[in-house]
Amino acid sequence: EANGMQDRITLIHGKVEDVQLPVDKVDVIVSEWMGYALLYESMLDSVIFARDKWLAADGLMLPDKASLFMLGIEDMQFKKDKVGFWKDVYGFDMSSIQPTVLAEPIVDI
């Protein structure tokens, strides 16, 4: 209302899978769906749901693209902290799980 657009823009707040729209198709979908590493918060499924259900054929999704830059590094201290943790888990020796932990990449955001 403060910008004089109330006759052209309708804001609907809610979970995309649950809301009902007053129209069949929309011109624009604006969503902040990008979490850590673009996909961490698992919002992509909801954005695709909204696109497939409501976006007009010539509609816009904003943002419409993203870039993901990744780098593999070796951090021995970080690895020791994560793997060494299993030697004393609240007083229990869980070191037998260490080979399994080492077989998988250790990812931290």
Side-chain angles (χ1 to χ4, degrees):
E1 294 174 1
N3 294 304
M5 302 292 277
Q6 65 272 17
D7 61 327
R8 289 180 256 168
I9 296 175
T10 302
L11 176 64
I12 299 173
H13 184 84
K15 189 174 177 185
V16 71
E17 293 86 356
D18 298 336
V19 298
Q20 298 294 320
L21 298 186
V23 295
D24 292 329
K25 296 291 178 183
V26 298
D27 298 317
V28 179
I29 294 175
V30 179
S31 176
E32 185 280 309
W33 60 269
M34 293 178 253
Y36 301 109
L38 296 181
L39 304 175
Y40 186 73
E41 294 175 356
S42 299
M43 293 293 297
L44 186 58
D45 290 343
S46 294
V47 173
I48 291 171
F49 175 89
R51 178 200 66 191
D52 293 347
K53 185 170 183 176
W54 291 306
L55 191 62
D58 59 346
L60 297 173
M61 291 197 53
L62 301 171
D64 63 343
K65 60 184 168 183
S67 297
L68 177 64
F69 299 93
M70 298 179 71
L71 171 69
I73 64 165
E74 175 66 31
D75 184 347
M76 188 52 78
Q77 186 59 49
F78 178 79
K79 194 177 214 179
K80 283 181 182 177
D81 292 344
K82 295 297 183 183
V83 175
F85 163 82
W86 295 104
K87 290 181 181 177
D88 181 9
V89 182
Y90 303 106
F92 293 96
D93 181 356
M94 304 281 291
S95 59
S96 62
I97 202 168
Q98 284 178 322
T100 304
V101 172
L102 287 170
E104 296 291 324
I106 299 173
V107 178
D108 192 41
I109 298 173

